[in-house]
Amino acid sequence: VDSTPLNTGSKEGVMTKLEERRGKKLHWSICDLHTNELGLRHLFETVDGPTSGSNSFKGQIGKSLSSAEKLEWNRSFEPITGGPSYPNLSKEVLSDLSTDQKYLFYAGKSVCEGMIDPHILTTKPGPICHSRWLTLACRLLLVYLSLHSFKGAVKKNLSLLIQYVVTNYIPSWFQIKTTPYLSHAAHHVLF
């Protein structure tokens, strides 16, 4: 179940209505990947401002995301270190990933290792869509790895977002992807 209020609201949510109709409590399984997106979404809106449409933003960083692939690569970007060790994925898991999921993995790896991985040089992340925060993370990484014109507070905010993406969002995302079982759900949320 997606954790939107429509589904999980305590008064009018679908799950509440089902419980009332059945006369007993139900076990709610919330998608950990959707839960993982909440931190990125709230941090992004805090440092760059709210969205201004279904695929647009009001802040400088958000406005740059739709044309990020036009920027030139920055071969001397500042690597981001710290946080849990970067995920090591098997060939089986990598082969099961979508293009954006692979992009997220290799772009994040690039930021952590300080070198642009060849996998992302010829690939472009998908278009911005507010129901796909994974694509937002991919585009943030692309801007960070490029020769952008951000200075001062905006550059600092981009670095903060990237720090969060590579030390929290990506490790959690791939931990969920490699162990997608209900029995691991609480562990994923606490991680």
Side-chain angles (χ1 to χ4, degrees), residues 3 33-43 133 164 169:
S3 56
L33 291 174
H34 284 106
T35 302
N36 190 43
E37 290 176 347
L38 296 176
L40 176 59
R41 180 178 135 203
H42 290 294
L43 178 62
W133 289 91
Y164 180 82
Y169 182 79

Side-chain angles (χ1 to χ4, degrees), residues 3-4 6 13 19 27 30 47 65 70 77 94 106 120 152 166 172 176 180 184:
S3 56
T4 64
L6 175 67
E19 288 179 341
H27 180 80
I30 306 297
V47 301
L65 298 178
K70 296 176 185 172
F77 65 89
L94 277 169
Y106 288 116
I120 63 170
V166 298
S172 293
I176 294 164
H184 290 86

